[in-house]
């Protein structure tokens, strides 16, 4: 099936979708994005994703490209037009098209918006979760404002490629104090040997993941032992379980970190249970 994209007011063939060469997203990575899971013809946690999009835009002084209800409409339309039952819908907003200049463009330059959607194979993702993944540590080298979901992802690309070349699926950033911050495109979690769930606070140093927030709601609902605090790489090596969270994989068990087998080398019961229950703790918007 031919894919459809939304680009600055028009639905176009994905193969023909394009933005101007002087779009500031291309020139300066001057833009932000969001990715929502599509599950059983429903967009998962769209209000939270758009809340975070609004915050990212505000932090960079970029205007909404259209009203929020209009953005919601476009997201639904792109999912429908691509007949995505299970997959992802992606939205990117940049500061717009203007001559290349580090200063912001004139006030009459409108932000650019692109929305795409694609299907995924739930069976393949579930099979990966049943086996678990490997992650590799990587020195934290990003700018401090990782709380803004910008399209400036080159450090993440390099970290994840480094992990891939060593046989891993994700990289875990480690700060100067030896603590894990987050993954290249995920939030990081461990379960201690006494059964306590640990993840780093989102006040600074990490992105406040929407999937992370839903998992925290689920943890509270299920009465699991939990602590929001930094954890070291050494503590992660010694953990009973580890996993990562993101819209692209929900809760993905980690069975190896660097050369260390985690727990018994198989996906743990906590991560597996959170994965099973995840959509019961989310806001589902029918497409």
């Amino acid at each position: 099936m031919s894919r459809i994209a939304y680009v600055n007011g028009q639905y176009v063939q994905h193969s023909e979708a394009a933005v101007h060469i002087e779009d500031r997203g291309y020139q300066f990575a001057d833009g932000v994005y969001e990715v929502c899971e599509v599950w059983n013809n429903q967009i998962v946690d769209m209000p939270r994703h758009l809340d975070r999009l609004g915050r990212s835009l505000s932090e960079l002084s970029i205007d909404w490209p259209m009203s929020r209800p209009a953005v919601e409409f476009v997201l639904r339309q792109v999912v429908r037009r691509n007949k995505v039952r299970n997959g992802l819908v992606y939205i990117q907003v940049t500061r717009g098209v203007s001559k290349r200049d580090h200063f912001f463009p004139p006030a009459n330059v409108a932000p650019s918006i692109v929305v795409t959607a694609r299907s995924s194979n739930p069976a393949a993702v579930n099979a990966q979760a049943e086996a678990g993944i490997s992650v590799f540590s990587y020195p934290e080298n990003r700018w401090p404002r990782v709380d803004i979901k910008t399209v400036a992802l080159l450090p993440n690309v390099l970290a994840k490629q480094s992990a891939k070349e060593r046989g891993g699926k994700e990289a875990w950033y480690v700060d100067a104090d030896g603590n894990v911050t987050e993954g290249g495109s995920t939030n990081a979690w461990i379960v201690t040997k006494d059964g306590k769930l640990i993840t780093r606070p989102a006040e600074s140093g990490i992105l406040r993941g929407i999937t992370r927030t839903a998992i925290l709601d689920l943890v509270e609902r299920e009465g699991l032992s939990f602590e929001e605090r930094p954890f070291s790489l050494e503590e992660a090596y010694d953990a009973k379980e580890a996993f990562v969270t993101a819209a692209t994989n929900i809760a993905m068990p980690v069975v190896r970190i660097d050369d260390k087998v985690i727990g018994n080398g198989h996906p743990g019961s906590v991560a597996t249970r959170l994965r099973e229950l995840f959509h019961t703790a989310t806001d589902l918007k029918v497409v």
Side-chain angles (χ1 to χ4, degrees):
M1 184 192 74
S2 179
R3 290 176 62 195
I4 302 297
Y6 179 88
V7 182
N8 293 327
Q10 293 185 307
Y11 297 96
V12 298
Q13 293 295 321
H14 188 274
S15 60
E16 299 174 3
V19 295
H20 195 280
I21 192 171
E22 290 197 311
D23 188 282
R24 290 178 63 92
Y26 175 73
Q27 296 285 358
F28 296 108
D30 189 2
V32 300
Y33 75 102
E34 283 291 331
V35 182
C36 301
E37 180 193 8
V38 180
W39 179 74
N40 285 344
N41 286 328
Q42 301 166 104
I43 300 179
V44 178
D45 276 337
M46 182 165 61
R48 281 174 167 167
H49 280 283
L50 293 184
D51 285 348
R52 187 173 64 181
L53 177 66
R55 178 185 181 276
S56 294
L57 290 169
S58 177
E59 290 295 310
L60 297 184
S61 300
I62 299 175
D63 292 331
W64 280 83
M66 59 182 75
S67 70
R68 177 162 169 161
V71 171
E72 294 177 0
F73 176 82
V74 170
L75 289 172
R76 285 190 168 96
Q77 279 293 309
V78 172
V79 172
R80 288 173 185 160
R81 291 176 186 230
N82 286 281
K83 295 181 171 60
V84 175
R85 178 176 175 81
N86 293 287
L88 300 170
V89 59
Y90 175 92
I91 178 172
Q92 178 173 304
V93 180
T94 75
R95 204 178 300 277
V97 176
S98 185
K99 70 175 184 179
R100 192 180 190 282
D101 190 332
H102 285 72
F103 298 113
F104 288 1
N108 64 349
V109 172
S112 298
I113 177 172
V114 171
V115 180
T116 59
R118 61 178 172 84
S119 296
S120 62
N121 183 353
V125 179
N126 289 337
Q128 188 175 75
E130 289 173 3
I133 65 170
S134 297
V135 304
F136 286 87
S137 57
Y138 195 87
E140 180 64 83
N141 63 349
R142 300 170 298 166
W143 78 317
R145 294 305 310 275
V146 294
D147 57 295
I148 306 171
K149 197 170 178 68
T150 76
V151 297
L153 295 173
L154 181 57
N156 307 62
V157 168
L158 296 177
K160 289 178 73 74
Q161 181 63 24
S162 174
K164 180 181 179 180
E165 290 171 358
R166 289 182 282 174
K169 291 290 185 181
E170 178 60 301
W172 272 9
Y173 284 108
V174 179
D175 66 19
D177 296 322
N179 292 322
V180 174
T181 54
E182 61 184 342
S185 59
T186 60
N187 288 129
W189 307 66
I190 61 171
V191 179
T192 63
K193 282 187 163 55
D194 61 358
K196 182 172 288 188
L197 192 58
I198 309 292
T199 195
R200 188 183 180 103
E203 277 66 39
S204 64
I206 69 169
L207 180 72
R208 189 180 296 274
I210 302 303
T211 303
R212 174 188 183 277
T213 300
I215 290 286
L216 289 175
D217 289 345
L218 188 54
V219 165
E220 182 177 0
R221 190 189 81 187
E222 295 297 304
L224 300 179
S225 179
F226 169 72
E227 188 176 356
E228 208 172 1
R229 65 165 175 80
F231 62 87
S232 69
L233 185 60
E234 292 299 324
E235 190 175 5
Y237 290 155
D238 194 45
K240 181 180 180 181
E241 293 184 42
F243 62 98
V244 296
T245 57
T248 52
N249 58 35
I250 306 176
M252 180 62 66
V254 172
V255 296
R256 182 182 291 270
I257 304 172
D258 295 329
D259 62 346
K260 308 293 185 182
V261 174
I262 306 305
N264 62 6
H266 297 282
S269 59
V270 173
T272 299
R273 182 63 172 158
L274 291 173
R275 182 179 180 81
E276 291 172 350
L277 295 175
F278 176 73
H279 291 109
T280 68
T282 59
D283 183 297
L284 303 173
K285 301 297 184 186
V286 177
V287 174

